[in-house]
Amino acid sequence: MPAFQSRTYKPNAIAAAYRANLNRHPFLLFGLPFVFSIVAGSFFLTPAAAIRYERHDRKVQQMSREEALSVKQKGNSGEGKRKPWDLNEEYYRLQAKDLDDWEQRRVKRLKGETNGIMK
């Protein structure tokens, strides 16, 4: 068998016509199909991405109405109803504190923990 084929190369007529027209109309033959593929890919990948979020939503359990009401009625420590939070009340409570009079103190370290003091 010879190293090279004995057949001569015959260029494809469609490819040659495309190459010739590509120089004359680059956006129509290259840019427009590229933009179309990007937009179509976005539409085709949207449902695939939605599946991810639907799977996550299935993992999250819904509370019954009674459970939701019991969570709303209990505070952090679990006793009674929570007092409604008011911005003005919180502002005046913080204004009443003396923030300029403070003293820096070291925190006691646990046994075996380094205290950060260099000798």
Side-chain angles (χ1 to χ4, degrees), residues 61-83:
Q61 296 177 355
Q62 289 186 341
M63 283 196 215
S64 68
R65 187 166 175 82
E66 293 80 26
E67 288 173 333
L69 288 173
S70 68
V71 168
K72 283 183 181 178
Q73 289 178 351
K74 292 183 181 177
N76 289 339
S77 57
E79 74 271 345
K81 284 190 173 184
R82 244 188 221 182
K83 183 178 166 189

Side-chain angles (χ1 to χ4, degrees), residues 31-46:
L32 197 62
F34 179 73
V35 170
F36 176 74
S37 66
I38 297 296
V39 171
S42 171
F43 282 106
F44 286 120
L45 289 176
T46 299

